[in-house]
Structure formats: C-alpha cells, structure tokens
Amino acid sequence: MPPLAKVLAGLVAVLAASWAWHGPMRRGEAYVGRLEREARAAVAATGMTGVEVTLDRSPLARNATFTGTANEFQRRGLLDEPGLTGRVAAVPGIARVRWADEPVRERAALPLLAETAFLATLAYLIGLALGWLLWGRPRRTGFA
C-alpha cells in the first residue's frame, strides 16, 4: 500500500471514530445536555424568573440562547457584577451567548460535530508529524 493511502486510511478511521463518538454513541448530546444544565443552574442562582436558556440542538452546538424578559442591567450587568449573559458565558464549554430578541452580531460557534472532526484531524496530523520526526526519517550512516 502506498504511504499516502496509509495516511488517508488513518485519517478516515480517525474521522469515523470521532463521528461515532459524537453521533451513535450520543456523547455530543450528553455534552450539550450537561452544558445546558449548568447554564440553567447559573440562571437559577440569580433568582430571576421568566428567563430560559437553551443550547442549540439542530445541529448540536455550544451556543446559548436566552428567551424571556430582562432589562439591560439584568442582561449585561454592570462593571464588576456580571449579568445573566456573563454568568452563562463563564460556564466552561459555552462558546457563545445571545438573546433571542437581539440581532445576531457575531458568527455562531461551529457545530459540535465539526469541532470534534477538526480537533481529531489536528491531533492525528500532530501525531503523524511526531512519528515521522522520531521514527520516519532515513538514518545517517556516516559523517559525510
């Protein structure tokens, strides 16, 4: 088998494994569910009622969206006191926070499957490069 075919077969295997982990094994759904529970707990800790936070489910992504009524201080906070947006953004793993009634200002985070595939490909390529550096180069037999 040619070396390029081996590299491509390895890359396909890594992408298939990351897809299986995310999709059929439902680890992506579990991760987004945990983030959503933590975001809801952060909102509940403020004592505010009438505000809901959800994460994108179609496709799965780490984007938190608020619905409900809150004034600007409750939404954004003031100086050292974070508002709802800041408290949920502080949850480890949340990529982006927005309110449903505000226009979209920045791009949404990548879908979780795309993030997983990108990171798996990056890890594979780093491992491939390290392997080539450590064991793949031809050995020098002399000083010339």
Side-chain angles (χ1 to χ4, degrees):
M1 178 180 275
L4 182 60
K6 291 178 185 179
V7 169
L8 291 177
L11 183 60
V12 167
V14 164
L15 291 174
S18 65
W19 171 80
W21 181 256
H22 175 80
M25 295 176 71
R26 306 196 54 86
R27 300 309 305 156
E29 180 70 35
Y31 179 62
V32 169
R34 181 182 60 80
L35 287 177
E36 191 170 73
R37 284 190 301 277
E38 290 179 14
R40 287 181 178 168
V43 170
T46 65
M48 282 193 60
T49 57
V51 175
E52 287 290 319
V53 62
T54 57
L55 269 72
D56 292 349
R57 299 292 177 149
S58 181
L60 287 174
R62 300 179 302 129
N63 302 321
T65 303
F66 286 101
T67 55
T69 56
N71 62 33
E72 193 62 25
F73 173 72
Q74 293 168 327
R75 288 181 180 206
R76 306 275 181 254
L78 184 65
L79 297 176
D80 294 340
E81 185 63 32
L84 292 171
T85 305
R87 291 176 189 269
V88 171
V91 172
I94 298 289
R96 188 176 140 254
V97 179
R98 64 176 288 273
W99 286 83
D101 60 352
E102 293 178 350
V104 177
R105 293 187 189 127
E106 69 260 0
R107 293 187 321 195
L110 286 174
L112 199 55
L113 180 58
E115 286 183 31
T116 304
F118 173 75
L119 292 174
T121 301
L122 183 64
Y124 176 74
L125 293 175
I126 289 171
L128 191 66
L130 285 174
W132 180 81
L133 283 173
L134 295 174
W135 296 286
R137 295 181 295 166
R139 302 282 188 250
R140 289 178 52 186
T141 58
F143 292 107

